[in-house]
Amino acid sequence: MHTDVVTDVLIVGSGPAGASAALALSTYGVPNMVVTRHACLADTPRAHITNQRTMEVLRDLGVEREALARATPQHLMGNTTFCTSLAGEELGRVRSWGNEPLVQAAHQLASPTTMCDIPQHLLEPVLVDAATARGTVLRYSTVYRSFTQDADGVTVTVEDRVRGDEYTIRARYLIGADGGRSKVAEDAGLPMGGQMGVAGSVNIVFDADLSRYTAHRPSTLYWVLAPGATVGGIGAGLVRCVRPWTEWLIVWGYDVTAGAPDLTTEYAESIVRRLIGDDEIPVTVKSSSAWTVNEMYAERYSNGRVFCAGDAVHRHPPSNGLGSNTSVQDSYNLAWKLKLVLDGTADPSLLDSYTTERAPVGRQIVTRANKSIGETAPVFEALDGLAPQTPERLWANIAARKEPTKAAERQRARLRDAIAHKVYEFNAHGVDLNQRYVSGAVVPDGTPDPGFARDPELYHQPSSRPGAKLPHAWLTSGTRTVSTLDTVGKGRFTLLTGIGGEGWLRAAEALGLDIATVVIGPGQNYEDPYGDWARLSEVSDAGVLLVRPDGYVAFRHPAAAGNAEELLGGALRQILGRAVAPRPTQHER
């Protein structure tokens, strides 16, 4: 066995979770290495919906522009269509992914970013290229075999698939980002809730110019209600746009108890033809694969020096487009904590907050994604399409909705309502942005939690409460317009205050940590010309928000305080798990 390779953090897996962990760590100056069993990055579209919170992460890590350049923009994502086939009858649409006018306004108010559709095979190179440019060491064709850990680090055995031999990598911490069949999570003994293999689906990737059926109603998703579409899978046949309007992916269900079908080219083409509804249009099948719908989530995300992220700890169907988003956000949450522990700023107890904060999010998105599958059934029910029947009977039920009768009118209303209820899958803005953390890395301010005034799954509700994401507001700095989110992040804590908050600034300076300071007000480095920040900050001008490197509020005080250094130092001591040493005064120097 070869001599150890040494790094600070070893990451197993180069998907969205692993690649974003590497990018964040390298951005923060933490030595890290990625190993992947594959010889290349993702070569199929896989995950694709990229929500505003993930785009905020990419913005902070300096790759938002590169991601947008490769993505399908938001305005081409949103006419989610229900039909009998692309060439067949249209049954209804949902304005989706922030394209409904009121939801679009909510998106613009919530974030400086826009959501987009960037398939995984296009996103991974953005993350990996930036990570390796900043210092990540990447080893392809390298299979994780096992780990042992001790008080000082983790020794990982890997196999080089090119040479065929094994060697060890010594790291201070290990991140398992090795997907839904994670061996790292298994070896770490992470307890799981839920179950695997609850239904079966087939992915078929193909090329075809479908612009005649799609360009007039641009969308990421076209749902096909056809005989057999309710068997297994995600509730209906799905035609997904990979690149407008020539690259596509179909999802079709199968009976998981009977096993996956034989994925011949002929089988794949037959499904493609069924969902397109046009036997003449040229089609080139590029690949097909079977997978199972899962409903599993880890109850704990770490064991000692071993942490897991992404599909390793939450496994669910693609409904709501939450998979890669949650994976990226897991890693972003973990990376700054590892950085502060590794450089001695924080005690290792800070890392306990990773599970405390992210495990509830993982459980929520697994539950939401599977619930969205069930919410497809009422669309079929409105057409009496769930009862055993011949295809001819289903087509007759679909045709019946056009009749000038009271029964048909009731059917039309039921169908409209059922399709409209899919808003919980296609416009769940609150699921994307409303995460609130309760952990040792958040200092409560003693105020009662007001909860959510509106449906927390559908509507984002900004708050500056500790544990909430810093609200977005547009500020000006000279001739520049910047978001409040642009003033924080970059791997360090940020203190936001206003006129009269000088005591907080002196406290931050005295504590000697790498704390950026932002003063907002007339004549200051940042001004609030629209008054938006004054409405959203929920503190007085002389109050303060201490924001973590991931953009979440860690500490809040409503006004000036004579004991600002004591309050701020105490908050940081709780978060970091150790006393913060004040800078020596000039006399002490």
Side-chain angles (χ1 to χ4, degrees):
M1 192 170 292
H2 291 178
T3 306
D4 288 349
V5 174
V6 178
T7 189
D8 275 3
V9 181
L10 175 64
I11 302 160
V12 178
S14 58
S20 53
L23 175 56
L25 290 168
S26 286
T27 302
Y28 302 155
V30 176
N32 67 92
M33 176 182 292
V34 175
V35 297
T36 173
R37 66 183 300 114
H38 303 293
C40 62
L41 300 179
D43 56 2
T44 55
R46 304 184 198 175
H48 60 118
I49 298 294
T50 309
N51 66 33
Q52 285 183 296
R53 179 56 189 156
T54 297
M55 293 305 295
E56 290 172 358
V57 173
L58 301 187
R59 184 182 182 95
D60 182 47
L61 296 178
V63 294
E64 178 193 22
R65 186 173 301 175
E66 289 79 1
L68 287 172
R70 290 160 176 79
T72 298
Q74 185 174 12
H75 72 275
L76 295 180
M77 295 169 61
N79 281 284
T80 298
T81 301
F82 291 80
C83 55
T84 59
S85 69
L86 292 189
E89 285 198 56
E90 182 175 310
L91 303 172
R93 304 181 194 177
V94 178
R95 295 184 181 95
S96 307
W97 314 120
N99 281 284
E100 194 278 330
L102 293 176
V103 179
Q104 186 175 64
H107 275 235
Q108 292 175 352
L109 291 169
S111 175
T113 68
T114 59
M115 72 182 307
C116 63
D117 187 301
I118 177 165
Q120 189 170 333
H121 69 304
L122 301 179
L123 175 61
E124 283 185 17
V126 170
L127 302 174
V128 169
D129 287 353
T132 54
R134 298 175 195 180
T136 294
V137 176
L138 175 62
R139 293 196 169 186
Y140 291 106
S141 301
T142 302
V143 182
Y144 161 84
R145 290 301 182 199
S146 62
F147 74 80
T148 59
Q149 63 174 315
D150 52 51
D152 300 314
V154 187
T155 301
V156 180
T157 300
V158 298
E159 178 188 348
D160 187 306
R161 295 179 70 183
V162 177
R163 294 193 306 252
D165 62 341
E166 292 187 348
Y167 63 97
T168 61
I169 301 172
R170 179 68 175 174
R172 295 175 68 184
Y173 291 96
L174 169 64
I175 299 177
D178 49 336
R181 297 180 180 88
S182 172
K183 192 169 188 305
V184 177
E186 180 183 343
D187 291 349
L190 301 186
M192 296 278 181
Q195 59 180 323
M196 295 281 279
V198 297
S201 285
V202 172
N203 279 4
I204 302 168
V205 181
F206 67 100
D207 290 341
D209 183 354
L210 302 182
S211 54
R212 75 181 73 172
Y213 302 124
T214 57
H216 65 287
R217 49 184 179 183
S219 181
T220 287
L221 304 175
Y222 300 84
W223 292 84
V224 179
L225 279 67
T230 58
V231 176
I234 54 175
L238 175 64
V239 183
R240 173 189 140 195
C241 179
V242 177
R243 302 297 288 170
W245 303 110
T246 57
E247 295 181 43
W248 301 88
L249 184 152
I250 272 177
V251 183
W252 184 252
Y254 68 88
D255 181 357
V256 72
T257 62
D262 186 7
L263 300 179
T264 63
T265 300
E266 291 74 20
Y267 171 83
E269 286 187 357
S270 71
I271 299 300
V272 170
R273 294 290 182 194
R274 186 187 308 188
L275 271 61
I276 294 176
D278 183 338
D279 291 338
E280 303 300 323
I281 201 162
V283 168
T284 302
V285 172
K286 297 163 72 175
S287 69
S288 57
S289 58
W291 52 279
T292 58
V293 174
N294 302 315
E295 188 172 358
M296 286 197 74
Y297 46 84
E299 297 166 3
R300 192 175 70 244
Y301 281 18
S302 67
N303 179 352
R305 290 177 171 265
V306 180
F307 297 81
C308 285
D311 288 357
V313 284
H314 37 78
R315 304 163 192 176
H316 53 89
S319 310
N320 287 76
L322 297 167
S324 63
N325 292 290
T326 310
S327 300
V328 169
Q329 292 163 39
D330 284 346
S331 295
Y332 188 59
N333 180 285
L334 177 60
W336 70 268
K337 297 171 182 177
L338 284 171
K339 184 256 186 187
L340 293 182
V341 171
L342 285 164
D343 70 14
T345 301
D347 185 82
S349 60
L350 171 63
L351 298 172
D352 295 341
S353 65
Y354 174 58
T355 284
T356 307
E357 294 180 352
R358 295 304 299 173
V361 176
R363 182 169 186 166
Q364 177 199 16
I365 62 112
V366 169
T367 302
R368 177 65 259 172
N370 280 278
K371 189 176 180 182
S372 290
I373 291 179
E375 289 167 353
T376 304
V379 181
F380 284 91
E381 289 170 356
L383 301 168
D384 295 324
L386 291 180
Q389 59 182 292
T390 64
E392 290 75 19
R393 184 65 256 169
L394 177 61
W395 300 135
N397 291 342
I398 289 172
R401 81 191 197 287
K402 293 181 273 189
E403 296 174 0
T405 65
K406 287 294 183 182
E409 185 173 353
R410 288 192 296 271
Q411 183 188 29
R412 293 192 292 270
R414 287 177 63 202
L415 183 60
R416 284 195 302 270
D417 290 346
I419 290 175
H421 194 70
K422 293 296 288 180
V423 69
Y424 279 91
E425 178 173 357
F426 305 130
N427 272 322
H429 201 210
V431 175
D432 293 346
L433 295 179
N434 276 344
Q435 289 85 7
R436 305 278 175 87
Y437 295 151
V438 178
S439 76
V442 172
V443 181
D445 66 355
T447 61
D449 185 348
F452 293 95
R454 306 175 76 186
D455 188 319
E457 288 195 309
L458 291 183
Y459 302 103
H460 167 53
Q461 294 164 72
S463 173
S464 73
R465 286 181 59 79
K469 184 174 70 71
L470 181 72
H472 155 67
W474 289 113
L475 308 174
T476 56
S477 180
T479 58
R480 297 185 304 129
T481 300
V482 299
S483 169
T484 46
L485 301 186
D486 296 327
T487 70
V488 303
K490 309 299 185 290
R492 76 269 194 261
F493 284 88
T494 304
L495 185 147
L496 282 78
T497 188
I499 295 173
E502 293 80 4
W504 298 112
L505 300 177
R506 289 193 295 270
E509 171 68 19
L511 290 173
L513 290 176
D514 181 18
I515 302 176
T517 56
V518 173
V519 183
I520 303 171
Q524 308 304 311
N525 287 340
Y526 295 93
E527 300 198 31
D528 180 24
Y530 304 107
D532 292 340
W533 179 242
R535 287 188 291 273
L536 290 168
S537 69
E538 299 177 317
V539 296
S540 70
D541 289 350
V544 70
L545 300 178
L546 179 68
V547 181
R548 307 186 326 184
D550 59 356
Y552 274 73
V553 178
F555 166 77
R556 177 173 76 168
H557 197 276
N563 59 342
E565 186 175 331
E566 178 185 345
L567 291 172
L568 191 61
L572 286 164
R573 183 167 57 251
Q574 174 182 319
I575 295 163
L576 301 176
R578 60 178 46 171
V580 180
R583 291 183 193 272
T585 64
Q586 188 67 39
H587 175 73
E588 291 171 329
R589 294 193 188 103

